[in-house]
Amino acid sequence: MTEMTTAKAPAASALSVAQMLHLMRMEVDNAKLHGYAICCLMIGLDEFQTQAEREARRWLMPAIFSELKAITFQQHIRGLGLTREHFILAVFPHIGVKQATELSEELLAKARELELPGITGGTPVTISVGVGHNSHPRSDELETLIEDAETGLNLARSGGGDRWMQWRTVEDELEDIRGELDEQIREMRELGPGEESDAVASWGHALVRKIVDAFAVVEPSASLNQVRSDVLAIVSSEVDRWRDLATIRQLSEREKTIDLLERRITKLTGSLDQTESELKRIASLKAIDTGISSIYSTVQGLLDGEDNTEAKREMLKDIFEANLALRQ
Amino acid sequence: MTTSKNTDMDPTAEPEEAAIAPETQPREVATIEQRAAAAGERGAAAVADAIEQGEDAEKAVGVLYLGIDLGTSRTSVSASNGQRETIASYVGYPKDAVSQKLLKKRVLFGQEALDKRLALNFFRPLEHGVLKSSEEGTPEYEDNLRAAKDLISEVIRRAKPRKDELIYAVIGVPAQVSINNKQAVLDAARESVDSVMLCSEPFSVAYGLDMLDDVLVIDIGAGTTDLCRMHGTMPEDADQITITFAGDYIDNKLAEYIRETYPEAQFSIEMIRKIKERYASVADEVDKVVVDLPVNGKPTSFDLTDGLRAACQTIVGPMVDGLSTLVSTFDPEFQDRLKNRVLLAGGGSQIKGLDLAIEREMATRLGGGKVMRCEEPMYGGAGGALKVAHDMPAEFWEKLK
C-alpha cells in the first residue's frame, strides 16, 4: 500500500465532471489530429453487491484512484481522471497499448494489497480494468474509447474479475478465430484425389511404353514375343503394387492430417462458441425482465349481469364512436 | 493528474410502489381448463404446451388492459396484471453522448430526470393536461411530442407487459381538450400499444367508481380542473367544464406571495411544489407551516401558513362557479340530488379541508351541497380508465387497431 492510499481521500476538484470530460475530449481530438497514441482506462471494483460492500465502495474508489495517481506519478505519466461511485475513468495521452496494459497490471497488483480497516474485513480487494486505445482504427473519439473501456471492464468482470481486458483485442481475436476456422474448413474441402498414386501410375505407363519401344527394334520371333509379354506382365504387376503402396501411404498421411485438422476445428469451434456465448450473456444482462402476465387471456367486455349494463354499453359505444371519428 | 470527484449521480428513489390489483380483477377467465375449453381444440393444445413449459409460460398470449391518467404533473398507470405505477411527468435526454455514457441512459423520467436536469435537455411535455406546444410542426411541438411518446412508453414499460400480450389502453384526457391535442396524444400512444382509446378524465373517475347517475365529478389536476356532470348517459360538451385553476395555479400564487412578502427568499417552482404537496390546506385551523428557504445561501425559516392557505383558497371560488353553472343548467327536478353528490378526485383533492371549503361556498351560493372525496385520488383516473378498457367490447378494439 502506498503512501497515497493511506492518506485521506482526495479533496473534490475545482473541475466539474463536464469540464473534465471536455478536457479529455480535447486530448483525444489532439491525439487524432497529431497522430499520437492515447488510452482510456475504466476501473471498477469486483463483486460489490451487499449493502456493506456498497458502503465500502465510497472509501475504496478514492483509495484506488490514489493508487493510480501514485503509479502514474512514479512513471511520469500525465493523464486526466475522474472518480464516480461505480467506476474510475482515466485518459492517458502518449501511452501505447503495451504501456497501458502494464499500467493495468500494476494497478491490479496494488489493488490486491489494499486493505482498509473495518471495511474489507480481510477480504482482498480486486478490481477489473477495461482498456480502450486509439490504436484501433474505429477508436478515435472519446465516446468510442469510453465505450471500448466499458465493454472491456464488463468482459473482465464476467471473466471472474481481477484482470484487465481490452475489448478491441478480444474482438480482433474473435475475428482471427473465425478466419482461421474458415481457412481450415476450406483446406479440408480442397483435399482432392491422391497425387502420389497418380504419379506412380503415370511413371508405370511411361516404363511400359519404353519396354514396348525397346522390343520393337528387335526382329520379332515367337520366343521374343513370349519374353516381352512376361516382362510387361511383371512390370505392370510391380507398378500396380507400387501404386497401391503409394495410395495406402498417402491415405494414411491424409488421415493424420484430417485428424489433426478436425481436432483443431473442434478446439476453435469450442473457443468461438464460448466467446460468443459469453458475449451474448453480457448483452442479455441488460434485458432480462420478461414482464408480468395479465390476468386475462382473452378480451373481456361488459358482463350482462352488471348494474346499469345498458347505460354502460351505450357509454362505451359513444366512447368508441368518438375515437373512431377522431381517427377519421 | 487532474482530478474530479462528484457523487451526486446516485439513482434516486423510484416513484410510489405498485399497490393493489384493479377493481376489475374478479372477472378473470380463471383456470387453464376453462381457457382450454373456451379456446377450443387448438387453444387446448396451446395451453397444454404452456403447462409443460412451466409457470413463466403459463399462456402463449394474453390481453393486458391499461388505464393511463396522463397528467401535467404525474402520469399514472393501472394494469390488468396488478401493476400500478405513478411517475412525475418529466422527461430528460442527456445533453451529449458523454452525459449519456455517464448517466447510462438514453432518456430519464420522473424524479430522476428532475434531479439530474442540469445534465439533460429537460421537458415537461404536458401543459394544462395536454401537449405543450405553440403550434404543430414547430421544433418545440416536435420535442414535446417525442417526450410525450417516451413518457407513455415508459409508463407502459413500468406496467411490465409481456411481449406476447396484446396491449389495449384507455387514456384519460381533460374533458375539453381540442381535437388536435387528442390526435397528438393518440400519436404518442400508438407506438407502444396495439389499440388505444381516449376518454374524458372525470368520466373515467366516475365510471371506475360506478357513479354514473346524478354525480358531479371535480377532477383537480396540476394543469386543469375538470368538472363533469354525470346523468346516466355519456357526458356531452355542455356537461363538462375545464378550468385552469388547479395545482400549477396554486404554485404560482404561492410563489407570488413569497416574492412579495419575503423578497430575500430564494426558491424554485419545484421547491414550491414540494411545499404545497406537503402542507396544502384550506382548513380553518392548521399547524404553522414553517419552511426553510435559502437567503444568500443560508437556510432561513419562513412562515408560509397564511400565504399557502390563501393560495389554496384561490381555486375554491372558480370551482364553485363551474359547479353553479353545471347545477343551474341541469334539470331542476334533479338539481338537489346533483348538489349533494359532488365527488372530489385527482391529486389536488388531497388539499386538507377542501371538501368543507367547497361545501361552505356552495351553501352561500347554491343553498347547500355535499362533497365526497375519492378514496384513491392518485389512481382514480387510471383505475377508471382500466375499467373502461376492460368493459370495452372486443370488436371496438379490433376496429381501432
Side-chain angles (χ1 to χ4, degrees):
Chain A
M1 198 159 69
T2 66
E3 285 180 20
M4 294 295 288
T5 315
T6 53
K8 60 182 182 180
S13 161
L15 293 181
S16 68
V17 173
Q19 287 167 331
M20 180 58 66
L21 287 168
H22 178 69
L23 290 177
M24 287 179 176
R25 189 193 304 282
M26 281 175 64
E27 199 63 66
V28 174
D29 289 347
N30 279 337
K32 187 180 176 183
L33 183 67
H34 301 293
Y36 60 81
I38 190 163
C39 79
C40 173
L41 301 188
M42 191 174 272
I43 301 149
L45 286 163
D46 295 330
E47 295 177 8
F48 268 57
Q49 305 297 330
T50 66
Q51 187 61 40
E53 286 173 336
R54 277 198 287 272
E55 282 297 312
R57 191 189 281 128
R58 285 197 297 167
W59 297 96
L60 282 168
M61 290 304 270
I64 290 163
F65 194 58
S66 296
E67 290 291 354
L68 179 64
K69 284 204 306 179
I71 293 166
T72 51
F73 183 75
Q74 282 161 9
Q75 299 182 9
H76 306 290
I77 295 172
R78 187 177 67 86
L80 298 161
L82 59 88
T83 59
R84 314 293 301 167
E85 190 191 341
H86 295 277
F87 63 85
I88 293 168
L89 183 69
V91 167
F92 298 104
H94 304 289
I95 295 295
V97 177
K98 189 165 176 287
Q99 224 179 330
T101 54
E102 283 170 0
L103 186 62
S104 304
E105 287 284 1
E106 205 165 335
L107 188 61
L108 288 169
K110 288 287 182 190
R112 283 181 217 116
E113 292 169 15
L114 274 179
E115 193 180 315
L116 296 184
I119 293 177
T120 57
T123 313
V125 176
T126 60
I127 58 170
S128 292
V129 182
V131 181
H133 199 278
N134 71 341
S135 59
H136 195 281
R138 290 202 295 270
S139 304
D140 58 353
E141 305 282 346
L142 179 61
E143 286 81 2
T144 333
L145 277 177
I146 293 176
E147 206 168 282
D148 289 357
E150 190 189 12
T151 313
L153 177 64
N154 288 336
L155 280 173
R157 276 180 173 156
S158 64
D162 194 20
R163 67 192 63 195
W164 64 269
M165 196 73 81
Q166 190 186 357
W167 158 240
R168 291 295 182 191
T169 313
V170 175
E171 195 184 40
D172 290 345
E173 277 173 14
L174 201 60
E175 281 300 311
D176 290 347
I177 291 173
R178 280 204 185 93
E180 205 172 330
L181 193 58
D182 289 345
E183 185 68 22
Q184 304 284 6
I185 291 167
R186 196 169 61 247
E187 272 181 27
M188 281 191 71
R189 283 178 182 161
E190 281 173 0
L191 280 177
E195 290 169 5
E196 195 180 344
S197 60
D198 290 347
V200 170
S202 148
W203 169 80
H205 288 307
L207 186 63
V208 168
R209 204 173 307 113
K210 279 179 185 170
I211 292 168
V212 171
D213 291 345
F215 276 103
V217 298
V218 186
E219 191 66 30
S221 67
S223 59
L224 188 65
N225 284 344
Q226 183 60 45
V227 171
R228 191 181 69 168
S229 299
D230 291 347
V231 169
L232 285 173
I234 290 164
V235 168
S236 296
S237 158
E238 281 305 305
V239 167
D240 287 345
R241 197 170 64 82
W242 290 338
R243 192 170 56 192
D244 290 346
L245 283 173
T247 305
I248 289 165
R249 191 168 57 246
Q250 203 171 6
L251 278 174
S252 166
E253 279 176 11
R254 287 200 175 169
E255 272 172 13
K256 277 184 195 166
T257 309
I258 286 169
D259 185 46
L260 182 70
L261 288 174
E262 277 180 347
R263 274 189 282 134
R264 287 193 67 185
I265 285 172
T266 309
K267 194 177 163 191
L268 287 171
T269 309
S271 174
L272 188 64
D273 288 347
Q274 201 177 354
T275 313
E276 286 185 340
S277 65
E278 184 63 16
L279 288 174
K280 278 179 192 164
R281 190 185 69 79
I282 291 167
S284 69
L285 288 178
K286 288 182 181 172
I288 50 173
D289 190 0
T290 55
I292 299 172
S293 295
S294 171
I295 58 171
Y296 303 119
S297 61
T298 57
V299 181
Q300 299 296 292
L302 202 57
L303 290 184
D304 286 334
E306 274 208 20
D307 295 339
N308 300 321
T309 308
E310 274 313 308
K312 282 182 181 174
R313 192 164 283 142
E314 280 304 310
M315 289 177 184
L316 295 170
K317 193 176 165 212
D318 288 342
I319 293 172
F320 163 70
E321 283 172 354
N323 277 275
L324 194 63
L326 194 60
R327 300 287 163 89
Q328 289 164 353
Chain B
M1 194 164 176
T2 316
T3 64
S4 171
K5 187 170 184 294
N6 188 345
T7 52
D8 64 354
M9 309 284 280
D10 297 342
T12 52
E14 290 294 308
E16 294 169 31
E17 61 187 33
I20 60 166
E23 199 179 320
T24 46
Q25 197 158 340
R27 260 180 272 154
E28 172 187 9
V29 177
T31 64
I32 288 171
E33 289 76 9
Q34 281 173 320
R35 286 185 204 169
E41 201 177 316
R42 187 160 166 268
V47 172
D49 288 342
I51 294 166
E52 281 178 9
Q53 286 165 22
E55 285 289 317
D56 285 344
E58 192 186 347
K59 57 195 175 189
V61 290
V63 180
L64 181 71
Y65 292 114
L66 299 179
I68 298 172
D69 183 354
L70 191 61
T72 309
S73 171
R74 287 196 178 79
T75 296
S76 305
V77 60
S78 285
S80 62
N81 59 5
Q83 290 293 299
R84 298 208 307 182
E85 282 282 338
T86 292
I87 56 172
S89 299
Y90 299 116
V91 184
Y93 303 92
K95 281 182 176 165
D96 52 40
V98 176
S99 307
Q100 184 174 330
K101 184 55 68 183
L102 282 171
L103 295 168
K104 292 185 180 296
K105 285 175 185 171
R106 184 187 65 81
V107 51
L108 283 79
F109 298 96
Q111 194 61 39
E112 189 181 14
L114 190 64
D115 291 344
K116 292 171 183 168
R117 63 185 179 276
L118 297 181
L120 303 171
N121 292 319
F122 186 70
F123 294 94
R124 192 186 183 199
L126 303 165
E127 191 174 54
H128 306 314
V130 294
L131 206 64
K132 187 201 292 183
S133 72
S134 47
E135 55 185 277
E136 197 172 341
T138 59
E140 187 199 1
Y141 177 87
E142 295 301 327
D143 287 344
N144 281 307
L145 182 62
R146 175 185 169 217
K149 280 180 184 175
D150 285 335
L151 180 65
I152 291 172
S153 299
E154 175 64 11
V155 292
I156 291 170
R157 191 187 67 76
R158 291 194 184 198
K160 300 186 187 298
R162 286 178 61 101
K163 285 188 172 54
D164 52 4
E165 284 178 337
L166 283 172
I167 303 176
Y168 290 158
V170 169
I171 301 177
V173 292
Q176 291 184 319
V177 67
S178 72
I179 285 183
N180 279 350
N181 264 306
K182 282 181 180 170
Q183 197 62 53
V185 174
L186 275 180
D187 286 346
R190 219 174 274 157
E191 287 183 5
S192 307
V193 300
D194 292 285
S195 193
V196 57
M197 292 189 203
L198 304 183
C199 85
S200 143
E201 268 169 19
F203 169 78
S204 66
V205 172
Y207 194 93
L209 296 172
D210 236 352
M211 297 175 79
L212 302 173
D213 216 2
D214 301 335
V215 178
L216 225 158
V217 181
I218 306 178
D219 183 13
I220 310 167
T224 59
T225 294
D226 288 323
L227 297 99
C228 179
R229 183 171 64 195
M230 298 291 298
H231 47 89
T233 60
M234 192 68 193
E236 296 170 357
D237 284 350
D239 297 318
Q240 304 184 75
I241 291 175
T242 297
I243 55 175
T244 53
F245 294 90
D248 287 351
Y249 183 82
I250 296 174
D251 297 341
N252 291 332
K253 282 285 169 193
L254 181 57
E256 271 176 32
Y257 169 82
I258 297 173
R259 268 194 289 270
E260 285 170 12
T261 318
Y262 307 111
E264 71 279 17
Q266 296 171 304
F267 60 88
S268 69
I269 202 72
E270 283 308 321
M271 293 160 78
I272 294 290
R273 190 165 292 138
K274 280 181 187 164
I275 292 168
K276 177 196 72 182
E277 285 174 1
R278 184 163 177 195
Y279 299 108
S281 171
V282 287
D284 292 334
E285 290 179 11
V286 290
D287 294 336
K288 272 195 175 302
V289 179
V290 179
V291 298
D292 282 349
L293 295 174
V295 176
N296 296 325
K298 182 186 172 190
T300 309
S301 296
F302 293 97
D303 184 352
L304 301 182
T305 315
D306 294 338
L308 183 56
R309 186 165 47 195
C312 294
Q313 189 70 39
T314 54
I315 65 168
V316 176
M319 264 195 289
V320 179
D321 286 344
L323 278 178
S324 305
T325 307
L326 290 176
V327 170
S328 60
T329 53
F330 199 49
D331 186 331
E333 201 181 331
F334 298 99
Q335 283 185 8
D336 261 355
R337 184 168 158 78
L338 194 64
K339 279 193 295 185
N340 287 307
R341 282 163 63 88
V342 175
L343 178 67
L344 275 185
S349 69
Q350 295 174 96
I351 296 173
K352 292 182 195 77
L354 185 62
D355 47 353
L356 295 176
I358 294 173
E359 280 181 5
R360 269 201 305 270
E361 192 71 18
M362 286 176 77
T364 311
R365 292 159 63 172
L366 294 168
K370 183 79 186 160
V371 180
M372 300 167 277
R373 282 175 181 273
C374 178
E375 279 184 21
E376 285 190 304
M378 301 298 286
Y379 288 102
L386 176 63
K387 195 164 191 308
V388 172
H390 173 278
D391 288 351
M392 194 64 72
E395 62 268 25
F396 291 173
W397 286 120
E398 284 297 320
K399 282 179 185 167
L400 290 174
K401 268 185 179 175

